Amino acid sequence: MATQGGNLISSENVEGTAVYDPSGNKIGQIDHLMIDKVSGVIRYAIMTFGGFLGIGEGEHPLPWKAFKYDTNLGGYVTNVTAEQLKNAPEYDETSWSNRDWESRLHQHFGSQPYWEEGGTSGAGSQNRGTDQTAGF
């Protein structure tokens, strides 16, 4: 098991973390992360929602900026609505190599694509406070 401290957290502790809406209602959880293998910056979190015991469960990638960690809830908060998730661009394992698909995903969620943020490090995406809801 990886240790954590300060502002760092092991990915094994992020996976399975609850995701809440701004009202504090649990809407899903983080399944896994998509990390830029060159810069090492997290670009997306794959969120699961709905279903019972894995039946009818949906899975959607969301830009990492869509999440803010809330220390009071012990989970991530997002302003993404159920309607946005339901109507999000469908994806499969080949989507990650399709910049047009990524552009549509960012447009759908109203977020600026990471490749348009300026610089290649994506450092702006690392400056997250605690106890804030996403407003990307």
Side-chain angles (χ1 to χ4, degrees), residues 1 4 9 17 21 49 103 109-110 117 120 124 130 132:
M1 176 180 263
Q4 55 190 42
I9 186 169
T17 301
D21 67 16
F49 69 98
S103 293
F109 288 113
E117 291 176 353
T120 57
T130 56
Q132 299 176 22

Side-chain angles (χ1 to χ4, degrees), residues 14 60 74:
V14 174
H60 286 282

Side-chain angles (χ1 to χ4, degrees), residues 62-116:
L62 292 164
W64 184 238
K65 287 184 169 187
F67 301 94
K68 298 291 182 191
Y69 191 77
D70 185 308
T71 56
N72 294 321
L73 291 172
Y76 292 92
V77 176
T78 184
N79 283 334
V80 171
T81 66
E83 191 69 22
Q84 283 178 302
L85 289 173
K86 187 169 73 171
N87 295 319
E90 291 188 26
Y91 86 103
D92 59 34
E93 291 304 314
T94 63
S95 298
W96 303 115
S97 61
N98 182 334
R99 185 53 60 91
D100 179 58
W101 174 85
E102 281 189 282
S103 293
R104 286 183 287 129
L105 183 75
H106 281 275
Q107 182 178 19
H108 179 77
F109 288 113
S111 64
Q112 182 180 16
Y114 61 87
W115 59 90
E116 293 177 2

